[in-house]
Amino acid sequence: MTSAAPTAARVSVILLAVAGAAGHVAYLDALWWHTLDLTSTMARDVSPSTIMLLTAHAVVSLVCAVLSVALVLHEGQRKEAARSLGAAFAAWSYLMAYSGVTMLFRPDPGVSREIFEGHFLFVEMMGLAGLLRFTSLFPRRLSEEELAASESLPRFLTPFHTIAVVMRGSAAPWIAGAVILISLWGWAVVTGGNISDAGLSPAMDVVRFCAAGLVVMNLRRAWGAATEGDRDGLTWMMAALAMLVGSLALLIGGNVLVAVTGFPEPDVAWRPILLDVGLIGFLGTLSMSVLYKGPKDPARVTRSVATNATVITMGLFLAAGLEALFSGGILASFSLRPGVGTALAFAVILSTRQGLDRLMERIIPAD
């Protein structure tokens, strides 16, 4: 990476973070506060639950933007990986603010409008390239011996292995992203379409799928070649996945309980907000994998998250079963007030918490 590249990365990430934050503020103002008078076409009777949902999404994007700036300014041992992850975070944060950014910056119809609409694909490609570069550097740059193909690798998979190794080069993801971007834009122009539609092309879906596959391959290779010095970084990534999976498990358990018991739905849109909370935890903990160097053991964080998510999810499923049993859904001659099964379920789960803690200690040792 040349000396100008870090500066370009910092400027790009900060600009995207600021523009995305401004977009969210503008969009929420147009829906709720009405102080900036940016548009008169927005609905002014949006429900409080919708406002809360949009605010939660905006908070996720703003957290992502703040983390992207912290990552791109990082000067620690994994600074190059941090810059790449910061680029991915900034791109995602900016794209999440699409509605507000469009409201603020979209020019009048014409060539400028086409260029503006097309630049979102450019930002997405930057994010994908940054994510690929991050996974090729995390938790460390692998040696040629560690990247060599296994003797057991089938011959027909050799070209894919070669491509995966080439894409780990410092410039390869950015060059590939530029080539794909220009090709998609060019194809849209040649076929008489709009540049703004290039991101909707089936070819771009293939690119996204291939990028996801390369990310998984890079992380798998990093895990297989991990040394003692790589442990903390990879364990922080496990904690990040535990945050995300835990929020999904809680969502499923909550859905089952509501469906079985028929409890009234709260006014708050709790499902997407729960996912947003899990996503914030995922983003923050993933950032810790390259930013944090302190006494806190990531294995303990992972174990705590996994244990709490498991306890609550088991409680929700057990509550659903007991509510169905006590409400007469299973035993027609026996019925109790709604809520008794839920209280009993969590009493049982909490009483067995210590056993679950010991099980998690064996699965995820802290030392």
Side-chain angles (χ1 to χ4, degrees):
M1 179 175 288
T2 64
S3 58
T7 301
R10 293 187 183 102
V11 172
S12 299
V13 166
I14 292 173
L15 286 176
L16 288 176
V18 171
H24 278 299
V25 171
Y27 191 66
L28 289 175
D29 179 84
L31 286 175
W32 191 8
W33 303 312
H34 314 303
T35 58
L36 301 178
D37 197 24
L38 292 172
T39 178
S40 59
T41 61
M42 300 292 292
R44 292 179 177 259
D45 57 349
V46 181
S47 66
S49 62
T50 301
I51 292 295
M52 182 175 295
L53 176 60
L54 293 174
T55 302
H57 291 340
V59 169
V60 174
S61 180
L62 293 175
V63 168
C64 193
V66 171
L67 291 173
S68 70
V69 174
L71 286 163
V72 82
L73 296 179
H74 180 61
E75 290 294 337
Q77 181 181 2
R78 294 170 175 158
K79 60 183 179 181
E80 191 174 352
R83 282 197 295 267
S84 300
L85 184 60
F89 276 15
W92 189 26
S93 174
Y94 183 78
L95 293 174
M96 288 178 67
Y98 172 84
S99 298
V101 169
T102 301
M103 181 188 303
L104 278 179
F105 304 117
R106 184 167 61 179
D108 295 331
V111 177
S112 298
R113 168 75 68 87
E114 282 296 309
I115 295 174
F116 174 82
E117 296 292 350
H119 94 281
F120 289 103
L121 181 59
F122 170 82
V123 174
E124 182 179 358
M125 292 304 304
M126 185 187 84
L128 290 176
L131 187 59
L132 283 176
R133 185 62 183 148
F134 165 71
T135 56
S136 67
L137 293 170
F138 180 82
R140 61 182 172 86
R141 194 190 305 268
L142 300 183
S143 64
E144 293 184 4
E145 292 76 13
E146 291 170 321
L147 292 174
S150 171
E151 295 181 356
S152 61
L153 184 71
R155 187 182 298 272
F156 73 92
L157 292 179
T158 302
F160 297 99
H161 174 268
T162 303
I163 293 173
V165 172
V166 169
M167 289 299 293
R168 296 178 69 93
S170 58
W174 310 104
I175 294 174
V179 170
I180 293 170
L181 183 65
I182 293 172
S183 299
L184 290 174
W185 280 346
W187 180 255
V189 172
V190 169
T191 56
N194 297 320
I195 294 179
S196 59
D197 296 333
L200 304 177
S201 168
M204 188 59 201
D205 292 331
V206 175
V207 170
R208 296 182 182 107
F209 178 80
C210 292
L214 286 173
V215 166
V216 172
M217 290 177 63
N218 287 343
L219 292 177
R220 180 183 179 277
R221 193 184 301 275
W223 185 268
T227 62
E228 184 63 26
D230 305 330
R231 173 181 174 273
D232 281 356
L234 291 171
T235 309
W236 277 120
M237 184 168 287
M238 288 180 58
L241 292 174
M243 292 274 188
L244 192 59
V245 173
S247 66
L248 291 172
L250 294 179
L251 175 64
I252 294 171
N255 280 333
V256 170
L257 179 61
V258 171
V260 169
T261 61
F263 286 160
E265 290 279 357
D267 294 333
V268 178
W270 63 273
R271 293 177 179 86
I273 291 177
L274 177 61
L275 291 178
D276 285 342
V277 171
L279 192 53
I280 289 174
F282 171 80
L283 296 171
T285 314
L286 182 58
S287 300
M288 296 278 277
S289 66
V290 292
L291 295 178
Y292 185 74
K293 285 293 182 183
K296 185 176 290 294
D297 187 353
R300 294 185 183 276
V301 176
T302 305
R303 190 173 66 207
S304 177
V305 172
T307 301
N308 289 322
T310 302
V311 166
I312 298 175
T313 303
M314 290 175 60
L316 291 171
F317 277 105
L318 182 58
L322 292 179
E323 288 289 346
L325 177 66
F326 294 160
S327 65
I330 297 177
L331 300 176
S333 59
F334 182 76
S335 178
L336 294 175
R337 292 174 60 85
V340 173
T342 302
L344 179 60
F346 278 94
V348 171
I349 290 297
L350 291 176
S351 67
T352 60
R353 171 63 186 266
Q354 291 183 349
L356 186 59
D357 282 339
R358 289 192 291 270
L359 175 62
M360 287 296 178
E361 286 179 2
R362 291 194 292 270
I363 296 174
I364 310 174
D367 299 317

